[in-house]
Amino acid sequence: MEFDIVSLIYSWRVEDARKRIEKKLENEIYVTDLIYCPLKYYFQRIYKEIALAEGFNPVTIYGEAVHIGIEEVLKRIFGSDNVKTEVEFEKEFGVEGKVFIVRGRVDAIVGNYIIEIKSGRSDANIPHQHHVLQARLYLWLTGLKKAILLYITPNRVSQYIVTEPSSDGEVSDLIRSLLMRSPAPRYNWECLHCSYAILCPSKRTSAV
Ligand code: SF4
């Protein structure tokens, strides 16, 4: 029997991405939408095939494998009854007279700690500003008091504790920035790694 693991991984990733994109409601915002360039939030609805292809990006697959592995390691260390993984939270939040559903999926919860796993090609400049913001948004969303950003990179395994939740005002500002599609990009380096750079009029061609 022909046994093609690559095509199975392809189907798994693309189907996963398809479900995520198709089930997304018009007023639904993921925490990850708030930490990156706001234009991506719109492009993923218009250019769905590009969003789907992102699911099979090797960097994304590598990151997913690290997540699954570390979540399993946490269960072995703490016992599977003491670790919740891929926990979904949501909160309704009004901005400019409209109610949005802010949704986030936390990698793991152990005791009162959120654990957010980050894989990367390098340990340069960790913890990254947008990861700290993500952890702060998770604290806001969950009501938990502490988050650990756990970096697994080829050069370093390191953790950073985040204790300051985002305020309602910050979340409002982030949602407003999504509605205004500005600033695009949010960080100078984003366009270098963005799947929509092939058609985006706001693409930065220099990282400075
Ligand atoms: S290319 Fe840059 S500005 Fe355009 S969507 Fe991507 S990150 Fe945003």
Side-chain angles (χ1 to χ4, degrees):
M1 186 181 80
E2 197 70 33
F3 194 52
D4 185 347
I5 293 182
V6 173
S7 79
L8 292 172
I9 292 175
Y10 175 86
S11 304
W12 166 56
R13 291 302 302 155
V14 171
E15 270 318 298
D16 209 43
R18 192 191 307 280
K19 275 187 220 145
R20 212 175 40 248
I21 292 165
E22 282 175 0
K23 77 166 198 193
K24 198 165 183 177
L25 305 171
E26 193 264 324
N27 67 336
E28 199 170 27
I29 297 171
Y30 295 166
V31 163
T32 44
D33 294 324
L34 295 174
I35 65 170
Y36 292 114
C37 171
L39 272 183
K40 291 182 185 175
Y41 178 72
Y42 292 92
F43 286 161
Q44 74 185 1
R45 289 163 194 257
I46 303 168
Y47 305 114
K48 287 191 177 140
E49 291 76 12
I50 296 179
L52 288 178
E54 178 65 15
F56 195 67
N57 179 331
V59 175
T60 316
I61 295 172
Y62 176 79
E64 186 65 23
V66 171
H67 272 73
I68 292 169
I70 295 298
E71 286 167 13
E72 181 58 34
V73 168
L74 291 174
K75 285 180 182 165
R76 289 188 192 184
I77 293 171
F78 294 102
S80 47
D81 290 346
N82 301 316
V83 180
K84 290 185 222 144
T85 57
E86 307 292 327
V87 195
E88 300 216 357
F89 289 87
E90 66 174 52
K91 199 167 180 172
E92 289 192 358
F93 194 73
V95 176
E96 316 247 323
K98 187 169 175 187
V99 176
F100 294 91
I101 303 166
V102 180
R103 207 182 278 282
R105 189 162 62 182
V106 173
D107 289 336
I109 296 179
V110 180
N112 293 322
Y113 283 82
I114 289 169
I115 301 183
E116 184 58 25
I117 301 158
K118 297 296 176 197
S119 59
R121 281 171 270 202
S122 145
D123 66 341
N125 303 319
I126 60 171
H128 296 296
Q129 206 181 332
H130 60 296
H131 290 160
V132 173
L133 176 59
Q134 184 180 10
R136 293 184 60 228
L137 285 163
Y138 282 155
L139 292 175
W140 171 83
L141 188 61
T142 61
L144 290 168
K145 303 288 179 225
K146 285 182 183 170
I148 294 176
L149 274 176
L150 176 63
Y151 282 87
I152 310 282
T153 78
N155 324 84
R156 188 156 37 137
V157 175
S158 197
Q159 70 168 41
Y160 299 88
I161 309 277
V162 179
T163 55
E164 188 191 351
S166 298
S167 65
D168 284 353
E170 281 175 287
V171 177
S172 288
D173 287 346
L174 287 168
I175 293 177
R176 267 193 209 99
S177 117
L178 207 61
L179 299 176
M180 292 186 310
R181 307 183 189 191
S182 172
R186 199 174 289 286
Y187 303 100
N188 282 338
W189 50 263
E190 273 186 287
C191 303
L192 287 174
H193 310 284
C194 176
S195 312
Y196 306 103
I198 50 174
L199 48 74
C200 175
S202 302
K203 175 188 173 184
R204 291 252 171 97
T205 51
S206 151
V208 284

